[in-house]
Amino acid sequence: MRSIPAALMSLPFIAGAAFAGEAEVRAAQGTIEAQIGAFRGGDNAAAYGHAAPSIKRIFPTLESFMGMVTGAYQPVYRPRSFAFGKAQEAGSAIAQQVMIVGPDGRDYEALYTLELQPDGRYRITGVSLKASNALSM
């Protein structure tokens, strides 16, 4: 889940949803919120359901997916809090910055990439996670 589509990386982020399609960004944010909510609630199957088919090909079972998440993405799996930052839309894909306070109390920045699926829903195609220089208040 660490890959970021090249088309999104080459474009500067824009603040908020005013320039990216507001409804699309809100829908993508809803997917992220739903996945984090499922992790928090212990519903790992529901969390896996928010992954795009490309991720499910890499992690074809719930167990392999959860092994990856719990091994490398603890801040996403068990955040103390999170807030949305900048968003970028490129065609049917959205990159969404998420500021996270991890279970260790440290700040992290996650860059989620999502793609619109044929069923009309955004699914997560990747997450890039790094420690943030921001300070939690």
Side-chain angles (χ1 to χ4, degrees), residues 16-117:
F19 296 103
E22 187 171 338
E24 291 81 3
V25 170
R26 299 276 181 252
Q29 290 173 346
T31 298
I32 296 167
E33 287 176 326
Q35 186 180 60
I36 292 173
F39 284 142
R40 284 178 162 172
D43 191 349
N44 296 337
Y48 185 56
H50 295 291
S54 59
I55 296 301
K56 290 180 177 181
R57 281 190 292 278
I58 297 167
F59 302 100
T61 66
L62 176 59
E63 292 75 23
S64 63
F65 176 76
M66 290 310 300
M68 176 269 302
V69 171
T70 60
Y73 293 91
Q74 278 294 315
V76 170
Y77 180 57
R78 292 286 187 244
R80 288 187 183 177
S81 63
F82 68 96
F84 293 114
K86 300 172 185 176
Q88 173 66 46
E89 183 180 22
S92 64
I94 292 179
Q96 175 66 59
Q97 178 188 44
V98 182
M99 306 312 292
I100 298 172
V101 178
D104 58 2
R106 295 178 55 199
D107 292 325
Y108 296 87
E109 180 182 342
L111 178 62
Y112 279 77
T113 56
L114 302 96
E115 197 165 70
L116 186 63
Q117 302 301 306

